[in-house]
Amino acid sequence: MPTWVLWLAVALVLMVIVARHRRRAQAEVLLDEHARRRTEREAPSPVSVWREANRLFRAGDREGLLLLAEIGRELPARRQDVVDTWLAALRGGVSRGLDAGWRTAVQSELVAHLRPGEDYWPGMDVRAAGAILVEVDLSGCRVGKVDFTGAVFVGDARFEAMTVTGAAVFDGARFLRHGLFTDTLFARSLSMVAAVFTGNLGLSGVQVADAAQLAGAKVSGRADLRRAEFGGPAGFETVFFGGRALFGEVVFHRDALFTGAWFRGRTDVTSALIGETADFGGARFGRRVMR
């Protein structure tokens, strides 16, 4: 057999082998691509995970609560949505019959992310207008804006040593026991217009950088504002102080307006400083005033 025929046969065999390897490689690539696409289709999307977490949470399933927390940890852009979802569950919850254990679990998870620590979510707004909160304790939390308009606080409501970097609104809120804001910092304004405190109002050591407005508020118990500091105008017009009203060492950098206020109990204004106007026009005093 001629040599060239032998070499031709070898070349043909090699071509067949190469072609088979190429077809096999292409088939493996196609199989890998198919498997990848199938896996992607089967893996839950962020939207479906969010929906499932909300479904479980609304059903009162603790897994939904924890899944929402995990979403917040993994996706910082969704953290405010998670906080809003938890707060929405508390809004009107007593009237819907949510049990105390579930409410406590939701509030505990919420506070864990609003209080500085290893699981802290900075910059969260607390939008809880109309919410019903039981034995809420946000002491030491650091948040952005706060809106508790018309909220109802069952049991003691604690906001001690809290930092609020945005506007804080408690207009029309009802505190069925004590409202405690000792040493709280309001970096902007504070509004408690027409708020009702069945027990004591603790504002000792509080700092409000801008305007503070408590017009029309009602405090049945003791109002303790000792060592408080108000950077802007402070409006206490028509406020009802049912118990002792303690204003010792309070600093009003601007106006202090008590027009039409009613001080039914003993009033202590020892060492209070008022930077601009002090207006007590029409104010009533049920007992002696310590100056």
Side-chain angles (χ1 to χ4, degrees), residues 131-133 136 148 151-155 157 159 170 173-177:
I132 299 177
L133 300 164
V136 65
F148 285 105
V152 177
F153 297 94
V154 180
F159 302 88
F170 292 82
R174 289 182 293 160
F175 294 78
L176 302 187
R177 202 155 181 258

Side-chain angles (χ1 to χ4, degrees), residues 4-54:
W4 66 270
V5 174
L6 179 62
W7 283 109
L8 178 60
V10 171
L12 289 174
V13 171
L14 290 174
M15 289 177 62
V16 170
I17 294 173
V18 169
R20 286 180 179 176
H21 278 290
R22 183 177 298 172
R23 284 196 298 269
R24 183 177 299 172
Q26 289 176 343
E28 290 176 352
V29 169
L30 289 174
L31 287 172
D32 290 343
E33 180 67 16
H34 175 71
R36 184 184 65 80
R37 290 179 179 176
R38 183 177 179 181
T39 302
E40 288 178 349
R41 284 197 301 269
E42 292 177 351
S45 69
V47 174
S48 64
V49 172
W50 174 258
R51 288 175 178 169
E52 179 63 10
N54 273 271

Side-chain angles (χ1 to χ4, degrees), residues 28-290:
E28 290 176 352
V29 169
L30 289 174
L31 287 172
D32 290 343
E33 180 67 16
H34 175 71
R36 184 184 65 80
R37 290 179 179 176
R38 183 177 179 181
T39 302
E40 288 178 349
R41 284 197 301 269
E42 292 177 351
S45 69
V47 174
S48 64
V49 172
W50 174 258
R51 288 175 178 169
E52 179 63 10
N54 273 271
R55 185 188 69 79
L56 292 171
F57 178 70
R58 287 194 300 269
D61 192 326
R62 184 171 177 79
E63 183 181 347
L65 176 63
L66 299 179
L67 186 54
L68 285 171
E70 188 60 30
I71 290 173
R73 293 187 189 95
E74 297 295 326
L75 302 171
R78 299 307 299 267
R79 288 176 177 175
Q80 186 63 61
D81 295 329
V82 173
V83 169
D84 290 342
T85 298
W86 288 336
L87 290 169
L90 302 175
R91 186 175 295 113
V94 171
S95 62
R96 295 205 308 268
L98 293 185
D99 65 90
W102 175 241
R103 298 177 61 79
T104 300
V106 174
Q107 290 184 34
S108 296
E109 191 67 41
L110 173 67
V111 171
H113 302 291
L114 299 183
R115 186 174 290 156
E118 67 178 64
D119 213 4
Y120 172 57
W121 297 350
M124 296 295 100
D125 294 336
V126 179
R127 299 189 275 246
I132 299 177
L133 300 164
V134 181
E135 296 288 347
V136 65
D137 187 355
L138 296 179
S139 299
C141 291
R142 182 182 176 89
V143 299
K145 293 183 290 186
V146 163
D147 184 4
F148 285 105
T149 303
V152 177
F153 297 94
V154 180
D156 290 345
R158 296 183 177 276
F159 302 88
E160 297 168 301
M162 184 178 179
T163 299
V164 183
T165 60
V169 182
F170 292 82
D171 294 349
R174 289 182 293 160
F175 294 78
L176 302 187
R177 202 155 181 258
H178 305 315
L180 305 174
F181 298 83
T182 305
D183 296 324
T184 295
L185 170 62
F186 295 98
R188 297 204 176 177
S189 60
L190 169 64
S191 183
M192 293 182 172
V193 174
V196 176
F197 297 87
T198 303
N200 299 331
L201 169 59
L203 286 170
S204 60
V206 74
Q207 297 181 61
V208 184
D210 205 338
Q213 183 57 263
L214 286 82
K218 294 180 174 60
V219 185
S220 297
R222 181 181 67 251
D224 187 355
L225 289 88
R226 290 173 292 182
R227 299 177 291 99
E229 185 173 354
F230 299 93
F236 293 85
E237 300 94 331
T238 68
V239 173
F240 171 78
F241 296 97
R244 289 184 296 169
L246 308 177
F247 287 85
E249 300 182 60
V250 175
V251 177
F252 297 93
H253 288 274
R254 295 184 61 186
D255 300 334
L257 309 175
F258 292 89
T259 309
W262 184 6
F263 298 87
R264 188 175 180 181
R266 183 169 65 89
T267 304
D268 182 0
V269 292
T270 306
S271 302
L273 299 175
I274 301 176
E276 296 186 10
T277 303
D279 188 349
F280 286 85
R284 291 180 287 170
F285 296 89
R287 297 188 181 180
R288 67 192 182 95
V289 180
M290 297 183 64

